[in-house]
Amino acid sequence: MFYREAGQFKTSYQADAAIFPIRQDRVAIAAVLVIAYAVIPLAATPYIFSALLIPCLILALAALGLNILTGYAGQLSLGHAAFMAIGAFASYNFMLRVPGMPILLAFVCGGLCAAGIGILFGLPSLRIRGFYLAVATLAAQFFIVWCLAKVGWFSNYSSSGVITAQAIVILGYTFDTPTAKYLLVLTIVAVMALAAKNMARSNIGRQWMAVRDMDVAAEVIGIRLVYAKLLAFAVSSFYAGVAGALYAYAYLGTVEPEAYNLDLSFRILFMIIIGGVGTVLGSFLGSAFIVLLPIMLNFTMQFMEQTLHLSIPMSAASNLELMVFGGLIIFFLIVEPHGLARLWQIAKEKLRLWPFPH
Amino acid sequence: MSAPKTESVRKIGDTILKLENISLAFGGVKALTDISFDVREHEIRAIIGPNGAGKSSMLNVINGVYHPQQGTITFHGDVRHNMRPHDAASQGIARTFQNIALFKSMSVLDNIMTGRTLKMKANFIEQALWIGRARREEFAQRAKVEQVIDFLEIQHIRKTPVGRLPYGLQKRVELARALAAEPTLLLLDEPMAGMNVEEKQDMCRFILDVNEQYGTTIVLIEHDMGVVMDISDRVVVLDYGKKIGDGTPAEVRGNKAVIDAYLGVAH
């Protein structure tokens, strides 16, 4: 198998700007889509859907949102779980209070609400940057979750603050099985990932990266920093909002504001750092890594216990899992600080020359 | 792509940029004191002076990075007040920086494409959906950018991230990014600093070609006196934030104050 573009000449700018300019890539992505849409629904068990694939895809979408803000536009945020919460609670309220509200429209409205709040909490970015901005977004994290728990109206005055997501019904079809939910989530995530890639390769993406790399030069060239930064916050929060709504509707079912705590914000941040900052692919790889690794570790523990008869006390086992998890994150950051997406990039460059060394 | 050099291609026209009594201070530090000079259309105007003379501050005043406390700036007949850098850009002022200010992680092509950002009108939703205007614009602007790439002979490094390029090429890419904006006034802050003789010759050729073929007015800061005297039409000399000389290269070279500033005065 040769992964190289020999003999594939680009004769137009259209071909050169394509998302997958090399034929092998197009074949590979087509294969991935076929597997995701046709093979997995037939092969996977409900457990795999609801414990692995659905959260993996939803968190990839949230990570994609954070990657737009942090990876592309260079603005650090520690409040993305809060924007997810806004998406979830706003969608819930739209479904609850607007009669005949289509669910997809409710997701979009939830995303738009998150985008509005995102712009509000993005305003400090016009003055401050780096760690100081991170602290400002940390305020968003605490304030929003507190507000959603405190103000009864958001959870329709439920005594415990827990909301139960309405059933997902589109055009009369109820998405109630894990397979159906998986296919819905997959479609939404695929469409939004495509949109993110389109933004990344066009003018707005270049503006974001220019602001990230050298904001003075960006302004001198004619980029309006206010617009570019706030749009990054808006788009990023929109992605987080839709992800949050899906998290409630397609994954958890019943959800309280505390589900979107700082811990989730950090997990999303870890995903983009491990997956690759400033890449669409990295969001997916990072999400898969963070979601799958604890489960893999769990399986390994069970294997050790049952097959090798190494009895590990329960308390030690759960701590050991966290320690191995943390250790692996540090290992990856040292070995490849640019993330898993960069490893894939290096592999591609190597494959272009393989089997020759130069 | 270089046209035969004929003086008739560029006729030095009327004044397009006029700076009157500019004073700029940072707290107690006076960067510029009461400086006035003008720039005529199509000319190459050099600003020289010893280190710390206020040359870069002067460029920053022209394109709106700094706002002078006193003085007026008249560009194309309009007096400007406290404009932001992107307003200056939309009026046709582009610049390069003394320390290269490229977008390091982006490719050469993307860097130069950002130079055309003001020509793109599609909103972000059109861009996200990759439809209609966004798509058409992308390819129309790409074609323009390719002309600049051809002009500056950097075809071979199109897809390379600029961080990986040698210094001389980075300087050239920065010029390309500024040129992509099709400026009427181009500000170059030490375009030849840190280059070897060959690279300097190349850069001089590009600056002269830009000036002759596009008719771009150029204001440049440079320390290499040979270069300044060869390519500029008129020279402004600054020292300690004050103007000490102004005129053709020959006039400036004979100016007592300029000689004193550069060589020192015998006590």
Side-chain angles (χ1 to χ4, degrees):
Chain A
M1 187 197 122
F2 290 107
Y3 178 86
R4 60 175 64 155
E5 65 269 52
Q8 300 179 33
F9 300 108
K10 295 163 199 153
T11 52
S12 68
Y13 296 140
Q14 279 89 332
D16 196 36
I19 295 178
F20 302 106
I22 301 177
R23 191 186 305 130
Q24 287 87 331
D25 272 337
R26 290 194 289 272
V27 172
I29 196 72
V32 167
L33 282 177
V34 167
I35 292 171
Y37 272 103
V39 179
I40 287 179
L42 295 176
T45 62
Y47 168 77
I48 290 180
F49 279 125
S50 39
L52 294 183
L53 293 170
I54 292 176
C56 195
L57 282 170
I58 293 172
L59 291 177
L61 186 62
L64 188 56
L66 184 62
N67 225 334
I68 287 171
L69 186 67
T70 304
Y72 283 98
Q75 312 296 313
L76 198 55
S77 165
L78 291 176
H80 256 58
F83 297 131
M84 290 174 72
I86 293 173
F89 279 78
S91 300
Y92 170 76
N93 279 295
F94 275 111
M95 289 301 288
L96 186 74
R97 297 170 205 280
V98 182
M101 187 78 172
I103 185 99
L104 287 179
L105 189 61
F107 289 166
V108 171
C109 290
L112 290 177
C113 287
I117 305 287
I119 291 175
L120 200 64
F121 280 97
L123 286 173
S125 74
L126 306 178
R127 283 280 172 181
I128 54 179
R129 60 181 86 177
F131 287 121
Y132 302 94
L133 179 63
V135 171
T137 56
L138 200 57
Q141 170 69 48
F142 288 119
F143 174 75
I144 291 167
V145 171
W146 173 83
C147 185
L148 290 175
K150 208 76 185 165
V151 180
W153 186 84
F154 290 120
S155 52
N156 200 26
Y157 304 103
S158 104
S159 54
S160 53
V162 177
I163 57 169
T164 303
Q166 297 90 343
I168 306 174
V169 183
I170 298 171
L171 300 173
Y173 179 79
T174 311
F175 289 74
D176 50 1
T177 64
T179 315
K181 282 180 181 169
Y182 161 78
L183 287 173
L184 177 73
V185 170
L186 178 66
T187 307
I188 292 174
V189 171
V191 169
M192 288 179 74
L194 180 66
K197 189 75 194 167
N198 279 339
M199 282 188 278
R201 64 173 169 160
S202 51
N203 195 33
I204 187 64
R206 286 190 296 267
Q207 289 194 355
W208 285 336
M209 290 187 277
V211 170
R212 173 193 68 191
D213 283 1
M214 182 80 67
D215 53 358
V216 178
E219 201 179 7
V220 162
I221 261 171
I223 294 170
R224 289 200 309 265
L225 296 185
V226 177
Y227 173 79
K229 283 183 180 175
L230 291 186
L231 185 62
F233 267 97
V235 172
S236 171
S237 311
F238 179 83
Y239 273 68
V242 173
L246 290 175
Y247 201 66
Y249 279 80
Y251 176 47
L252 293 176
T254 56
V255 67
E256 58 181 338
E258 262 307 304
Y260 301 96
N261 56 11
L262 185 62
D263 190 48
L264 184 62
S265 276
F266 274 126
R267 277 173 75 197
I268 299 168
L269 187 64
F270 288 159
M271 282 175 195
I272 68 167
I273 292 174
I274 288 175
V277 171
T279 58
V280 173
L281 176 68
S283 315
F284 287 88
L285 295 179
S287 164
F289 186 88
I290 297 278
V291 173
L292 296 185
L293 191 65
I295 295 169
M296 296 283 283
L297 286 173
N298 216 338
F299 270 119
T300 318
M301 300 278 205
Q302 280 177 8
F303 173 79
M304 278 164 64
E305 237 169 283
Q306 287 161 5
T307 324
L308 305 176
H309 302 292
L310 287 168
S311 67
I312 305 165
M314 268 312 280
S315 56
S318 58
N319 282 327
L320 198 62
E321 191 184 309
L322 285 174
M323 283 162 66
V324 172
F325 188 60
L328 273 172
I329 289 176
I330 295 171
F331 173 76
F332 261 93
L333 289 181
I334 292 171
V335 172
E336 188 45 73
H338 297 288
L340 299 169
R342 178 80 189 132
L343 283 180
W344 170 234
Q345 194 70 33
I346 293 170
K348 283 206 292 193
E349 278 171 23
K350 287 263 194 299
L351 274 172
R352 282 173 72 178
L353 300 171
W354 188 85
F356 308 106
H358 298 293
Chain B
M1 187 171 159
S2 65
K5 282 181 186 171
T6 49
E7 283 305 311
S8 61
V9 177
R10 59 184 198 103
K11 272 224 174 63
I12 293 183
D14 301 330
T15 300
I16 60 164
L17 175 71
K18 194 169 181 181
L19 299 133
E20 290 169 294
N21 312 108
I22 299 290
S23 292
L24 174 74
F26 300 104
V29 182
K30 286 187 172 173
L32 301 169
T33 314
D34 199 26
I35 292 179
S36 306
F37 68 94
D38 62 357
V39 179
R40 296 185 194 140
E41 201 172 8
H42 305 314
E43 80 172 337
I44 297 182
R45 185 76 148 125
I47 301 177
I48 62 169
N51 286 330
K55 306 180 298 294
S56 293
S57 298
M58 199 68 240
L59 287 199
N60 283 331
V61 164
I62 295 175
N63 80 331
V65 176
Y66 294 158
H67 299 136
Q69 281 84 16
Q70 281 163 30
T72 53
I73 305 165
T74 316
F75 185 57
H76 282 303
D78 298 322
V79 179
R80 300 175 354 191
H81 298 284
N82 284 352
M83 63 161 35
R84 303 288 309 159
H86 65 79
D87 297 322
S90 54
Q91 289 186 5
I93 302 178
R95 78 171 283 184
T96 65
F97 291 82
Q98 186 174 358
N99 315 314
I100 298 168
L102 285 167
F103 310 127
K104 289 261 180 307
S105 53
M106 295 162 69
S107 69
V108 169
L109 180 65
D110 281 345
N111 264 278
I112 305 175
M113 287 289 275
T114 56
R116 296 203 64 84
T117 189
L118 284 168
K119 319 279 180 199
M120 301 209 188
K121 301 284 175 255
N123 62 37
F124 75 97
I125 293 174
E126 289 170 300
Q127 291 177 26
L129 301 175
W130 197 248
I131 51 166
R133 197 162 53 157
R135 222 179 123 85
R136 280 197 307 277
E137 266 180 3
E138 184 77 14
F139 301 129
Q141 301 308 336
R142 172 77 191 272
K144 295 275 189 189
V145 163
E146 289 293 335
Q147 286 174 6
V148 177
I149 289 177
D150 284 349
F151 183 79
L152 292 177
E153 297 160 17
I154 45 176
Q155 297 92 337
H156 57 296
I157 52 167
R158 241 191 230 109
K159 294 285 173 88
T160 315
V162 285
R164 288 191 204 167
L165 293 175
Y167 181 81
L169 276 178
Q170 290 198 10
K171 280 275 191 194
R172 209 189 290 183
V173 173
E174 205 187 3
L175 176 63
R177 188 181 65 185
L179 275 185
E182 296 180 48
T184 51
L185 178 62
L186 180 60
L187 313 174
L188 303 175
D189 197 346
E190 302 201 18
M192 277 155 263
M195 287 185 166
N196 62 31
V197 178
E198 253 176 71
E199 287 172 331
K200 276 187 187 177
Q201 284 172 346
D202 279 345
M203 190 51 93
C204 280
R205 182 165 57 86
F206 289 130
I207 292 172
L208 289 170
D209 282 352
V210 168
N211 183 241
E212 283 181 11
Q213 292 182 25
Y214 297 116
T216 311
T217 311
I218 294 171
V219 176
L220 82 131
I221 294 173
E222 187 48 56
H223 277 299
D224 187 323
M225 285 306 131
V227 167
V228 170
M229 296 302 162
D230 275 352
I231 68 173
S232 52
D233 296 299
R234 289 192 302 155
V235 182
V236 172
V237 192
L238 303 184
D239 191 20
Y240 292 111
K242 298 193 177 76
K243 187 169 94 167
I244 57 168
D246 191 354
T248 63
E251 285 166 13
V252 164
R253 207 186 326 221
N255 185 324
K256 180 77 172 54
V258 176
I259 296 169
D260 287 349
Y262 270 89
L263 299 179
V265 192
H267 293 290

